[in-house]
Amino acid sequence: MKNFVRADNPILNERLSGNEQALPLPSLWFANEDIYEEDQTLLTGLLRSSFQDWLNESAGSPFLDGFLLLTDPRGQIIAASDQANPDQFISHDLRQLAEEASIKRKSLISGGILVVPLLKKKNEDCLAVLLANNLSPAQNFAALLETAALHFRVLFYSHLERVFVQNLLIRQQSSEKEAFRRDTLFQTAKRLHDQNEVTSVLNVLLVDVENLYPHAEVDLYLSQDHVNGDPRVKPLMLRHSAADLYAQAFLEGKPVMEYEDDALFKLAIPMSGKQAVYGVLSVTMKKKYLEDSDIGALVMLCDTAGSAFENAKLFEQSNLLIGELQLINELTKRLNQSLHLKEIFQFAMSELLHIFKADYCNVLQLNNETNVFKMMASNLPSAANEIYSTSHGFCGIVYETKEPLIISDYQSTPVVSSKLMDGTGSRSLIAAPIMANTEVVGVIMVTHKSPNYFSYDNYKLLQVLSIHIGLAVTNASLHAEVRRMVITDNLTGLRARHYLNEQIQARQRKDKCGSLVLVDIDYFKKVNDTYGHQIGDRILISVSEVIRSCIRESDIAARWGGEELAVYLPQIRSE
């Protein structure tokens, strides 16, 4: 008892040391314990085991020379000694003897049979009855058996206390296990919600489940595309949902259990969030390692993981969206810095290669006159100035549908024959139309040599980027058209006089020489007066076409004014 005395309690220490009268100790918890009606299922087993121990501990006692029976208070036989034969008691009414002794709560002798009731501690109700036959002639035999019956009762209550203690230990172990599991689940839930990355959430879930159930084989089947280096994370297939355990759990949204044999079973638990079911946790283990309460714990853990997965996915999508918006904003600003189509196409091609980390990128523009696509920018040297049809290949598909396109594996599922894919050995492709209002004015094609390289997010991002590239192309085209109209004479199609003056001034600063030819149409006023201005206009147009067909590309033909035309010939002397 001194081992339990606290050093900081001198009064209690002094009392226990004998300086003062010791305080009365409370009685032990089992001192007044007894067996009750709700314990009747244990009674027969306890009596039988106690009877056997009693016989073993009483070996050599005189009363064992006779035959001993143990019955319940109504005379039903529970156990017997090795020498006992129930036939020895057949001439006696055991039920009457047992009931009489149990009612009177005292021993009695009838026809050579000694009947001793075994009484409870509290209310002295009869637990059982001992019956002895073939008695020894010793006069103290009855007193001896009654004393031995008290020993029997001590053994019985010792067995009862042992069972009680065992149950307490089992409950304590169960409570400790439940407390440990709750603490583990709490810590796991906390770690899950601390993660901002989907990969980290999945790793915490798998590692903690394996720590909780080291004898289990754990896998996770995801319904969403997710690149994860962990071999335990696998794609969820829904092709054979009726026979597939994991597909069934995913579609029904509740745990599904399947027994492979008497000792092994599989448990499929959906990983659910607030918006959807994202996957199924698979636990395969032997039945002896799993309790019924563990299933509820696993379900709760999967629900927590589902919420954490959903939050991490939303966080990643938010960051991705922010990044895409920043990318689109930066790309749009840089696209709008230039109003030259060639520069826009080259810049778009280089940026798309960088954004998607692709192997090849082609940007094509539609020629409205010939109705073919012309290569405007490409990182493939052999593709320069190539022509693509609007009715064949992937360009034709995009042109006809006006929709973006994604090809996961060109070799396994060749939708159409593609010069780009065959020539580069590419297997993955994303393509999008460049739109001007509602018309296709070009096509973007981005490829990679690896299969399944581009994701659905890449597909959507290219669709958005192509819209902004289309706006930049439209702006540049409009600017080029406005500039052409400003520097071009509307009637003749020759350059305007102010443009000619600007070019002559610019050329004079860098060219060594140059010539200016002025052309005048004789009697032009007379033609107008005689045949009308329409005929005069036709003559001006015809003369302009003749001049345009006779000069070099570097020469500049312009309308000087009225019926006067001019041609500037750079690097040409008067001779």
Side-chain angles (χ1 to χ4, degrees):
M1 190 65 191
K2 291 181 180 180
N3 294 334
F4 296 93
V5 176
R6 293 182 56 182
D8 57 352
N9 194 338
I11 298 177
L12 182 59
N13 289 343
E14 183 180 3
R15 289 182 177 180
L16 290 175
S17 63
N19 295 335
E20 292 189 14
Q21 185 178 0
L23 294 174
L25 293 175
S27 59
L28 296 176
W29 61 269
F30 52 80
N32 297 316
E33 284 299 317
D34 211 333
I35 193 162
Y36 301 97
E37 292 183 3
E38 55 267 25
D39 304 319
Q40 290 299 316
T41 55
L42 304 173
L43 182 57
T44 301
L46 287 172
L47 287 171
R48 189 174 288 118
S49 60
S50 302
F51 183 76
Q52 188 59 50
D53 286 352
W54 179 63
L55 292 177
N56 294 336
E57 293 186 12
S58 302
S61 299
F63 59 81
L64 289 182
D65 295 338
F67 304 122
L68 294 173
L69 285 181
L70 178 66
T71 72
D72 64 11
R74 290 178 292 182
Q76 295 294 325
I77 298 176
I78 296 175
S81 64
D82 294 337
Q83 300 86 356
N85 184 352
D87 293 339
Q88 298 291 331
F89 300 86
I90 200 167
S91 59
H92 302 276
D93 189 347
L94 296 182
R95 178 177 179 180
Q96 181 180 357
L97 292 175
E99 288 182 348
E100 185 178 353
S102 61
I103 292 173
K104 293 181 178 181
R105 299 178 183 176
K106 63 180 182 179
S107 303
L108 59 88
I109 298 177
S110 175
I113 295 178
L114 176 61
V115 184
V116 180
L118 300 174
L119 304 179
K120 294 182 180 180
K121 289 193 297 185
K122 276 193 173 182
N123 53 18
E124 294 189 347
D125 286 343
C126 185
L127 279 171
V129 178
L130 278 173
L131 296 96
N133 193 10
N134 205 9
L135 298 176
S136 168
Q139 294 180 356
N140 61 344
F141 182 80
L144 183 61
L145 184 57
E146 289 177 352
T147 304
L150 295 175
H151 177 216
F152 179 92
R153 191 175 76 161
V154 170
L155 290 175
F156 170 79
Y157 280 103
S158 175
H159 277 245
L160 177 62
E161 292 163 3
R162 191 182 309 161
V163 170
F164 190 78
V165 170
Q166 288 175 345
N167 288 336
L168 284 178
L169 289 175
I170 292 172
R171 290 182 182 180
Q172 182 180 2
Q173 291 173 354
S174 177
S175 298
E176 290 175 353
K177 182 179 179 180
E178 183 66 22
F180 170 77
R181 182 172 58 191
R182 288 182 179 179
D183 181 66
T184 304
L185 290 175
F186 174 78
Q187 296 299 331
T188 301
K190 186 176 182 298
R191 282 195 299 274
L192 284 170
H193 285 294
D194 285 342
Q195 309 305 318
N196 288 328
E197 296 180 354
V198 170
T199 301
S200 301
V201 170
L202 301 181
N203 183 63
V204 169
L205 173 64
L206 292 170
V207 169
D208 283 17
V209 170
E210 287 186 341
N211 289 338
L212 279 171
Y213 305 98
H215 303 285
E217 179 182 343
V218 182
D219 292 302
L220 182 62
Y221 294 87
L222 280 184
S223 61
Q224 297 189 344
D225 292 336
H226 179 70
V227 179
N228 193 304
D230 195 328
R232 298 169 297 180
V233 180
K234 304 172 183 178
L236 178 64
M237 302 299 179
L238 299 175
R239 296 173 184 171
H240 308 289
S241 57
D244 189 359
L245 180 73
Y246 311 114
Q248 184 181 353
F250 176 80
L251 295 173
E252 295 180 359
K254 60 183 180 181
V256 179
M257 187 180 295
E258 179 180 88
Y259 289 92
E260 292 191 350
D261 52 45
D262 293 338
L264 191 68
F265 74 94
K266 284 185 177 180
L267 182 63
I269 306 173
M271 188 178 71
S272 305
K274 294 181 180 179
Q275 298 180 358
V277 178
Y278 300 101
V280 176
L281 180 70
S282 169
V283 180
T284 304
M285 62 190 300
K286 293 182 178 180
K287 289 189 293 185
K288 64 179 181 179
Y289 295 123
L290 190 72
E291 300 176 1
D292 293 339
S293 58
D294 292 330
I295 298 177
L298 285 170
V299 170
M300 184 179 71
L301 185 60
C302 284
D303 288 342
T304 304
S307 298
F309 179 91
E310 190 172 71
N311 293 336
K313 196 73 174 176
L314 290 173
F315 181 79
E316 288 186 357
Q317 289 175 349
S318 299
N319 287 339
L320 181 62
L321 182 59
I322 292 171
E324 288 181 357
L325 291 175
Q326 291 174 340
L327 176 66
I328 292 168
N329 182 55
E330 184 65 25
L331 183 68
T332 303
K333 286 196 302 185
R334 295 185 62 182
L335 283 171
N336 291 331
Q337 287 175 358
S338 175
L339 289 173
H340 299 286
L341 281 173
K342 190 65 177 178
E343 292 180 2
I344 290 174
F345 286 130
Q346 285 291 339
F347 173 74
M349 181 268 296
S350 61
E351 285 298 304
L352 292 173
L353 283 171
H354 174 71
I355 291 169
F356 297 110
K357 297 179 175 55
D359 290 332
Y360 303 100
C361 178
N362 288 354
V363 183
L364 303 98
Q365 185 181 22
L366 180 66
N367 187 322
N368 291 321
E369 295 178 359
T370 58
N371 200 35
V372 295
F373 286 108
K374 182 182 178 181
M375 186 69 67
M376 300 302 295
S378 175
N379 65 323
L380 188 64
S382 61
N385 300 320
E386 277 196 358
I387 301 299
Y388 285 77
S389 171
T390 57
S391 58
H392 297 93
F394 292 119
C395 283
I397 294 177
V398 173
Y399 179 75
E400 290 294 330
T401 61
K402 299 182 180 180
E403 294 289 340
L405 178 71
I406 181 169
I407 300 296
S408 298
D409 191 350
Y410 172 73
Q411 292 184 6
S412 63
T413 55
V415 180
V416 293
S417 177
S418 171
K419 182 167 39 175
L420 172 63
M421 303 296 282
D422 293 332
T424 60
S426 298
R427 298 182 65 176
S428 299
L429 174 137
I430 47 176
I434 301 174
M435 304 292 294
N437 296 323
T438 59
E439 299 299 323
V440 177
V441 297
V443 172
I444 300 170
M445 294 194 295
V446 184
T447 71
H448 198 279
K449 293 181 178 180
S450 301
N452 305 306
Y453 180 78
F454 298 112
S455 66
Y456 183 65
D457 290 332
N458 297 146
Y459 166 83
K460 292 189 297 181
L461 179 59
L462 179 62
Q463 184 178 14
V464 175
L465 294 177
S466 66
I467 294 173
H468 292 275
I469 294 172
L471 291 174
V473 169
T474 301
N475 290 337
S477 299
L478 290 173
H479 180 268
E481 180 63 20
V482 170
R483 179 172 174 76
R484 187 195 67 79
M485 293 174 65
V486 169
I487 66 175
T488 304
D489 178 66
N490 189 44
L491 176 63
T492 61
L494 301 180
R495 298 301 185 186
R497 181 173 178 174
H498 71 85
Y499 177 77
L500 178 64
N501 293 336
E502 292 173 1
Q503 290 298 312
I504 291 174
Q505 292 178 8
R507 295 282 184 169
Q508 285 180 341
R509 285 193 290 269
K510 62 179 182 179
D511 291 347
K512 294 181 180 180
C513 57
S515 299
L516 177 65
V517 178
L518 293 179
V519 179
D520 179 74
I521 301 176
D522 294 338
Y523 310 110
F524 187 74
K525 184 177 183 304
K526 186 176 181 180
V527 170
N528 281 337
D529 293 342
T530 305
Y531 300 102
H533 287 279
Q534 289 185 347
I535 298 301
D537 290 345
R538 288 173 62 183
I539 291 174
L540 274 174
I541 293 171
S542 298
V543 173
S544 299
E545 289 177 352
V546 171
I547 293 175
R548 191 162 41 236
S549 65
C550 296
I551 62 175
R552 303 171 300 173
E553 289 186 4
S554 60
D555 297 336
I556 304 172
R559 186 177 181 182
W560 190 259
E563 75 279 12
E564 295 178 342
L565 307 176
V567 179
Y568 178 71
L569 308 171
Q571 302 293 334
I572 296 295
R573 296 184 184 275
S574 60
E575 294 82 2

